[in-house]
Amino acid sequence: MDFFEVATSTPTMRRFIDRPIPEAELVKILETANMAPSGSNAQPWEFVVVRDAAARREIQKLHESVWGPYKGSAIIRGRTSLSPRAIKAIKTGDEFAAQLAIVPVHVVVFLDRPKMRVERGSAADLFNFGATYGSIFPAIELMMLAARAVGVGTAMTTMLTSKESETKAILGVPDQYQLIALVPMGYPADSFKRPMRKPAFPRIHDGRWDRGWPRQS
């Protein structure tokens, strides 16, 4: 597929069909993710690919245990009436949580903290967090783009980070690795389409903040 078609038609997928991903396609996706750039070429990512149904159900339960309180505090917040946008957010979030039992592959992404040579939570880590997390999120994005190129849908959620120890226990992950994200992937129930985004130009500046990028007539 053309790169620009892939890059502009990779929405967050929240509904999937119960169809396994061929291993050759899965390996292609993960090998592509492995080509991502990272600080000092540290390549600090570790991907735990979860296909076992029982383990996926455990991950789903953890996600739901976080999603429920989150939507109550961040979306509902005690309000007796909700805006259409809030109602949609709750509906899609509930659907996504339920779909985690159906989607055939969960890729749980971990950061190899020792490779970054900065102690987690230290002053140096907080000062230069961009270098740390900037060395792993490109691999996640490349994974999602590679999946789209072969017709596989993805989402990314950081909801499990508050359940890091529980997730590690399910997957047998050693302490030195930091949970970054869950990327469910599978064949989507809906078609790929261009995600809704605001226009780019109001956020593009020409040399200075107060000078917008000139529009072409």
Side-chain angles (χ1 to χ4, degrees):
M1 291 183 66
D2 173 75
F3 170 79
F4 292 99
E5 181 181 353
V6 169
T8 56
S9 63
T10 306
T12 296
M13 289 296 186
R14 295 185 176 89
R15 300 196 321 124
F16 301 87
I17 61 175
D18 189 6
R19 172 185 162 194
I21 302 174
E23 188 157 331
E25 297 288 352
L26 188 53
V27 169
K28 183 187 295 185
I29 292 167
L30 296 170
E31 286 187 332
T32 302
N34 190 57
M35 298 303 295
S38 57
S40 301
N41 199 26
Q43 303 169 62
W45 45 78
E46 298 284 340
F47 306 137
V48 181
V49 183
V50 185
R51 291 178 286 181
D52 176 73
R56 287 187 286 118
R57 281 195 296 272
E58 291 300 310
I59 291 173
Q60 181 200 21
K61 290 177 185 176
L62 285 180
H63 176 88
E64 287 183 325
S65 72
V66 180
W67 165 244
Y70 174 83
K71 70 179 178 181
S73 62
I75 302 175
I76 299 174
R77 292 185 290 184
R79 292 180 290 187
T80 56
S81 62
L82 298 174
S83 67
R85 182 177 180 181
I87 292 170
K88 182 180 179 181
I90 291 172
K91 181 176 182 291
T92 56
D94 287 344
E95 288 179 347
F96 178 68
Q99 287 287 298
L100 288 179
I102 297 171
V103 62
V105 175
H106 292 177
V107 180
V108 190
V109 182
F110 289 88
L111 171 68
D112 186 340
R113 291 295 311 199
K115 281 187 178 178
M116 302 315 297
R117 302 177 185 176
V118 178
E119 183 181 353
R120 183 177 179 179
S122 66
D125 188 32
L126 297 174
F127 175 75
N128 201 23
F129 65 88
T132 300
Y133 299 107
S135 290
I136 193 163
F137 278 106
I140 296 173
E141 179 67 14
L142 202 52
M143 181 193 306
M144 297 171 74
L145 293 172
R148 166 66 186 98
V150 296
V152 173
T154 58
M156 186 196 77
T157 174
T158 58
M159 198 73 71
L160 286 182
T161 55
S162 64
K163 296 289 183 179
E164 182 172 348
S165 60
E166 294 90 338
T167 306
K168 286 181 177 180
I170 293 170
L171 304 177
V173 178
D175 288 341
Q176 69 264 32
Y177 298 94
Q178 178 182 351
L179 175 59
I180 297 297
L182 166 65
V183 182
M185 61 174 64
Y187 293 100
D190 304 307
S191 60
F192 291 102
K193 60 183 180 180
R194 188 182 185 94
M196 293 184 63
R197 297 290 186 266
K198 295 177 181 179
F201 279 101
R203 295 188 299 279
I204 301 176
H205 309 269
D206 185 13
R208 287 177 48 86
W209 185 269
D210 58 0
R211 190 163 57 218
W213 190 267
R215 300 289 193 98
Q216 298 295 321
S217 59

